[in-house]
Amino acid sequence: MQFLSKIGAGILLFILSSSFTGFAQNSENSAKDTIPFNWKSMEEARELAQQEGKKVLIYANAVWCTYCKKQEKEVFSQQNVQDLTNEHFYTVWLDIESEEKLIFRGEEVSQRDFARAMRITGTPTFIFLDSKGEIIAGQPGFIPEDLYLQILRFVSTDAYLDQSFEEFAEL
């Protein structure tokens, strides 16, 4: 009897964990699918950015990340954010825990290993690359809409090349 109870509990735990895993994966996919950015693979984003003189914006997130969901719901959902992002950036969705492969600088690596190599330890984190694929800057944490728009303008106008963000923000 006790043995059957343990098996039953194990099966129930397996069913529950499978359900939650499926829910988390579906949540991730639906979140990405509902944000109308120019989501591209890393390789495609870098190639297009180089061809068109745009930049790449890597959005590092995790399925379980509360602040990622807040960023997506409160900031990414705003039309002015979508317009500015799509005009100047190719966006890459990076799940810091995913084993899915990406290609960066000719090397295939999992998203998780790429996040580790970029020293992404918290989510959300935003990494900006120039049209040549060089890292411009990174910014961790939830960013409110007004500040997020300033950061997008700072990077997209190349203001970062000759002034600090503080100087740019004062203008």
Side-chain angles (χ1 to χ4, degrees):
M1 259 318 198
Q2 236 180 356
F3 178 73
L4 289 177
S5 296
K6 287 181 182 178
I7 291 176
I11 290 172
L12 179 61
L13 182 59
F14 174 76
I15 291 169
L16 286 174
S17 66
S18 297
S19 299
F20 285 122
T21 302
F23 174 75
Q25 289 170 346
N26 290 338
S27 295
E28 175 191 351
N29 292 337
S30 64
K32 180 180 177 183
D33 294 340
T34 61
I35 302 166
F37 287 167
N38 289 323
W39 298 114
K40 304 290 184 194
S41 69
M42 181 73 72
E43 185 176 35
E44 185 181 13
R46 290 194 57 230
E47 287 174 9
L48 287 169
Q50 187 170 22
Q51 290 170 8
E52 299 179 23
K54 288 187 173 186
K55 294 176 177 59
V56 174
L57 169 56
I58 301 168
Y59 171 57
N61 64 85
V63 173
W64 47 262
C65 172
T66 303
Y67 285 107
C68 297
K69 304 303 174 230
K70 182 177 173 80
Q71 189 77 38
E72 294 158 15
K73 184 177 180 183
E74 295 180 15
V75 181
F76 291 171
S77 65
Q78 301 306 309
Q79 189 64 51
N80 55 348
V81 170
Q82 294 167 15
D83 292 345
L84 191 58
T85 301
N86 288 327
E87 183 178 347
H88 297 285
F89 299 92
Y90 285 106
T91 50
V92 176
W93 183 278
L94 180 74
D95 179 342
I96 67 164
E97 294 182 335
S98 175
E99 287 299 323
E100 187 175 325
K101 302 293 184 190
L102 62 81
I103 297 175
F104 186 72
R105 296 183 179 158
E107 292 187 38
E108 186 176 79
V109 62
S110 73
Q111 291 184 37
R112 180 175 59 183
D113 289 342
F114 179 81
R116 285 181 183 161
M118 297 293 280
R119 298 191 176 149
I120 298 171
T121 58
T123 53
T125 293
F126 306 88
I127 307 283
F128 294 93
L129 306 178
D130 67 17
S131 61
K132 295 176 184 168
E134 298 299 319
I135 297 169
I136 297 169
Q139 178 64 48
F142 170 80
I143 306 171
E145 179 184 354
D146 57 340
L147 180 57
Y148 190 78
L149 287 167
Q150 281 187 304
I151 292 170
L152 291 179
R153 287 185 192 104
F154 179 67
V155 174
S156 67
T157 62
D158 292 335
Y160 66 90
L161 293 172
D162 58 10
Q163 62 185 305
S164 70
F165 181 72
E166 291 75 21
E167 293 168 330
F168 178 80
E170 289 176 4
L171 298 175

